[in-house]
Each structure stands twice: as C-alpha cells, then as structure tokens.
Amino acid sequence: MSAAVITLETQANASQNLIIQRSSADVSLHGRVQVPGDKSISHRALMLGAIAEGETEIQGLLLGEDPRSTANCFRALGAEISELNTELVKVRGIGLGNFQEPVDILDAGNSGTTIRLMLGLLASHPGRFFAVTGDGSLRSRPMSRVVNPLQQMGAQIWGRKGNTLAPLAIQGQALKPIHYHSPIASAQVKSCILLAGLNTEGQTTVTEPALSRDHSERMLKAFGAELSIDPETNSVTITGNAKLYGQKVVVPGDISSAAFWLIAASIVPGSELVVENVGVNPTRTGILEALEMMGADIQMENQREVAGEPVADLRVRSSQLKSCTIAGDIIPRLIDEIPILAVAAVFAEGTTIIKDAAELRVKESDRITVMAQQLNKMGAKVTELPDGMEITGGTGLVGAEVDSHTDHRIAMSLAIASLNAIGTTTIYRAEAAAISYPNFTDTLVSICQ
Ligand code: S3P
C-alpha cells in the first residue's frame, strides 16, 4: 500500500481540493522527474517569435495557463501561433512594428510577465490603440513600475488609481530612448523597457540595483538584436529599430518547478530523486546556493548548454537541513522559490531569516502573509517581517485545511509541506498549480509510490 494517499476532488464550481494523507511514517520519494518548461523562457520565446520575421520553432514550451495567455494576446496582435504543445510550437512572426490593432481587450490572465513585457511593445507601436487586463489577482498588482518608465519615454497609458492598475488603455506612440535606473531588481521591468527600446530610435539603457534573470537579454541577442551588457553596473543597452529573425528555441525545465522536488526530497527522510533537464542559468540558481547553505545534498550532473541556456540534471538525497539567513543580492535570483524555501526552513534546525524580499507582497498573492498564515495553521512558527519571514525550524507539521489563495506557488508549496505533516491536509483551490505546472499532482503521486 502507498505510504501517502493523494486525491484531487473537483468541486461544482471547478475549484479543486488536493487532499494529502500521510498513512504511514515511512513515506519516501524516489524516481526521475521531468519538470515542465521554464515559464520565463516560454513567454519570451512566444513574444520574440511573434515580433520577429519568419518562423520560430519552440520545443519544450510550458503548457501552463500563463504562456497560454501570452499566446492568445500575440495571436490577437497578428502573429500566427500553432496549437500549444511541448513537442513543437511554430510561430509565424509579423515583424517588429507591425502589430494589428486587436478588436478586443487583451487578457493576460494571471500573468505579470505577459502584461508587463507586452506593455513595452504596445506602448511603442505608434498609431494603434490597445486595452489590456487580467484576472482579479493581476488587476490588483502594481503596474506603475512599468507605466512610469514608459511614460518617461513618452508613452500614453491610462488606468485605474492614477494609471497604476489594470485594466490599462494604451495609445501607441513613437517613443524616445531613456536611461532608466530601476529602483527594483525586476526582470519584468527590465524586459519591458528593453522591448520598448527595441522599437524606438536610439539607445535605451536599463540599470538595476541587483541582477535579475537575464533570459530577455540572451534571447534578444539570439534573435538578432544589438545589445550590450555592463556587468559592473548591472546595465543593459539596446539599440532600437532592430530587425529580429525567427529562431529555434529549446526551453529547459523550470528551476522554479524543480525547487518543489528538491525540497520535497531533502525534507522527506530516505528520499532520492533526479530532476532532469533543469535550466541552471546563474541568474536563477539562488535556490541551489540557499539549499547548499542549509546543508542539502544536491549534485549537478550532466551539465550542458542547450540553445544558449545552461542545463543540468539535479540529484537530491534527503538530509537534515539547518537554518540560514537569505537576504541581499541573492533575493532576485530565488524570488519565486521563497514560498517553498519557507517549507524547507520549517524542517531545518534553528531559525531561518528571509529578508529584503518585500517584492513577495506583490506577487500572485501576498506570499509573505499567505505562507505565514497557511504554514502556521499546520503548526509551524512563522513570523511575518515587513520584507520577509522568520521561521523557527523543528516544529514539525500537522495536517490542516489550508488555501492557495489562487497562487500556484503557494498551492504546490503547501502540497510539499503536507507530505511531511502528520495526518490529513486539504489544500483548497489547488487548481492554481496549472498556472506553471499542469502535471504537478501526477508527478507527486508517481514519486510517492
Ligand atoms: C519573471 C520575473 C520575476 C518573477 C516572475 C517571472 C519574468 O518577476 O517573479 O515569476 O519572467 O521576467 P519580477 O520581475 O517582478 O521580479
């Protein structure tokens, strides 16, 4: 008999409850796991394919809800994008500057990357009008971080609360280049400005306070844009009026999705997993460094480079974790993994401090408040800090009724926490996982048995 019973119940309103019952003390996780394609790279491959000339072929695209939102928006802007699948997606681009004016509002769904990156492109398309919106979560997330610099470039954008919240209306303009000093290390902000600069005469520069993920820079270069990078100052300059040409993109597995299995196998005694084909771009591997500080047993195997991105298989064996402090420049390199790192900290010896991570409050949910509340319902000792959390390890967890707050990373983090909790946990609104990891529950079941 399986040591854990995992059931997914679909409610009348299509919401799902994930129920995880630890039926014996000797659960352990074994096997090889393939994680879905990287979300950030999937969005960028669809977007750059759409504005390039000729055909782009994408292998390994993430089939989550977020890339579907991107594909639908860029179809409405005129790109031909074949049905999404992991084997091969073909994008027939329309060439830079050639968006058609969509007949309806562009819907970015739950996806901050879709709306913020797309805004840079829309604002720089003169003579066309666009309207963009998203779901309830996205409509409450700050857009001023991209609207302000775009306005400095001459963009015309209107929205609720002083043009800070979606829905937004955009009257495309010929923009002027700027040097933008971003107050936050955000790849969405950086990429938005670079994409606006792509369609703007002259040189546009973004400087950020710490290095955020650099997938846009890598892929823009591969598609033929002229880009220079100054690593000393974390600055990127793009030359406008570029021509992009369709490329073959191979999307590596998402390290943010791999993180759930790395931590699951670390905290569940007697486990050993190999997570295959994981993107290990240095701007994303903060999670591996944090887990190393915590004493995790993770080995990188079969390191290689695939279509301009470093990739490896990650072998993880369970180990007794110890607490650490996670703060400073590492934060943007592991920002999406902090909810699951909080779960690791619950099972670590000592008190873990996470700070300089106020950005977590404006993600798909307020990930500081939500993780603290949900883990505390399970018996953890998590104290909220204005910009992070303090987590007292070694409390153990007991099953409880918890809620994802419709945030994919919260849903999956709570599922991993439940694997190591005594008794039964019910995670409400667990369907949120499909935003970035449609087969999450199937993989969970397969490695527990
Ligand atoms: C992303 C950047 C990050 C990250 C998000 C994806 C991207 O957001 O949290 O999940 O693809 O550019 P910020 O740029 O807001 O930090």
Side-chain angles (χ1 to χ4, degrees), residues 26-341:
D26 55 2
V27 177
S28 59
L29 312 175
H30 296 276
R32 299 182 79 85
V33 176
Q34 288 265 353
V35 285
D38 186 278
K39 182 156 78 68
S40 294
I41 297 175
S42 295
H43 284 301
R44 286 159 174 81
L46 289 167
M47 289 185 193
L48 294 196
I51 58 171
E53 287 177 17
E55 193 167 84
T56 289
E57 293 187 351
I58 311 170
Q59 275 176 38
L61 188 91
L62 166 65
L63 295 187
E65 296 301 324
D66 274 8
R68 287 190 196 282
S69 298
T70 293
N72 288 337
C73 288
F74 281 81
R75 282 178 183 131
L77 290 162
E80 275 175 43
I81 304 176
S82 66
E83 202 185 312
L84 301 192
N85 62 68
T86 51
E87 280 81 53
L88 183 64
V89 174
K90 290 188 179 186
V91 182
R92 178 144 293 280
I94 46 176
L96 194 59
N98 293 331
F99 281 160
Q100 67 185 31
E101 201 173 53
V103 294
D104 206 344
I105 300 168
L106 296 165
D107 187 356
N110 191 244
S111 174
T113 307
T114 307
I115 196 166
R116 293 196 179 113
L117 270 58
M118 188 168 63
L119 270 172
L121 289 169
L122 301 181
S124 57
H125 268 70
R128 269 146 283 187
F129 175 80
F130 309 94
V132 294
T133 192
D135 69 7
S137 154
L138 193 59
R139 279 183 273 115
S140 70
R141 294 178 66 187
M143 293 301 139
S144 41
R145 56 185 55 203
V146 288
V147 170
N148 289 344
L150 288 174
Q151 284 175 334
Q152 287 175 29
M153 295 177 80
Q156 290 198 13
I157 302 173
W158 300 268
R160 292 184 298 128
K161 299 253 162 79
N163 309 326
T164 63
L165 293 179
L168 296 169
I170 303 106
Q171 180 65 58
Q173 301 291 324
L175 301 183
K176 57 179 194 296
I178 56 168
H179 183 162
Y180 186 61
H181 293 268
S182 177
I184 40 174
S186 158
Q188 292 180 357
V189 172
K190 173 174 62 178
S191 306
C192 168
I193 308 308
L194 292 176
L195 290 175
L198 195 59
N199 205 21
T200 298
E201 179 93 52
Q203 293 198 315
T204 297
T205 303
V206 187
T207 299
E208 48 182 353
L211 186 60
S212 65
R213 64 193 66 190
D214 68 356
H215 305 300
S216 294
E217 294 92 306
R218 285 175 188 250
M219 208 183 284
L220 277 164
K221 266 192 182 163
F223 274 72
E226 206 183 307
L227 203 84
S228 66
I229 296 168
D230 180 359
E232 300 273 290
T233 58
N234 292 325
S235 300
V236 192
T237 298
I238 193 156
T239 302
N241 287 346
K243 257 199 197 318
L244 304 187
Y245 297 98
Q247 299 295 315
K248 286 190 169 37
V249 181
V250 184
V251 183
D254 198 327
I255 192 166
S256 300
S257 299
F260 297 107
W261 310 123
L262 298 180
I263 287 167
S266 293
I267 63 175
V268 177
S271 300
E272 178 169 353
L273 289 175
V274 177
V275 192
E276 294 175 347
N277 188 38
V278 181
V280 287
N281 176 316
T283 61
R284 297 286 297 282
T285 47
I287 178 68
L288 299 181
E289 287 156 41
L291 285 172
E292 196 182 334
M293 279 194 278
M294 296 177 85
D297 178 357
I298 299 174
Q299 276 153 30
M300 232 191 242
E301 297 175 351
N302 195 12
Q303 277 179 263
R304 57 217 187 260
E305 179 138 336
V306 180
E309 291 278 350
V311 173
D313 300 334
L314 302 175
R315 181 180 296 275
V316 51
R317 297 184 183 89
S318 50
S319 55
Q320 176 56 57
L321 300 180
K322 57 181 194 291
S323 62
C324 71
T325 296
I326 302 166
D329 284 1
I330 196 173
I331 294 292
R333 297 173 52 239
L334 50 63
I335 189 75
D336 290 340
E337 291 73 76
I338 293 178
I340 187 64
L341 260 175

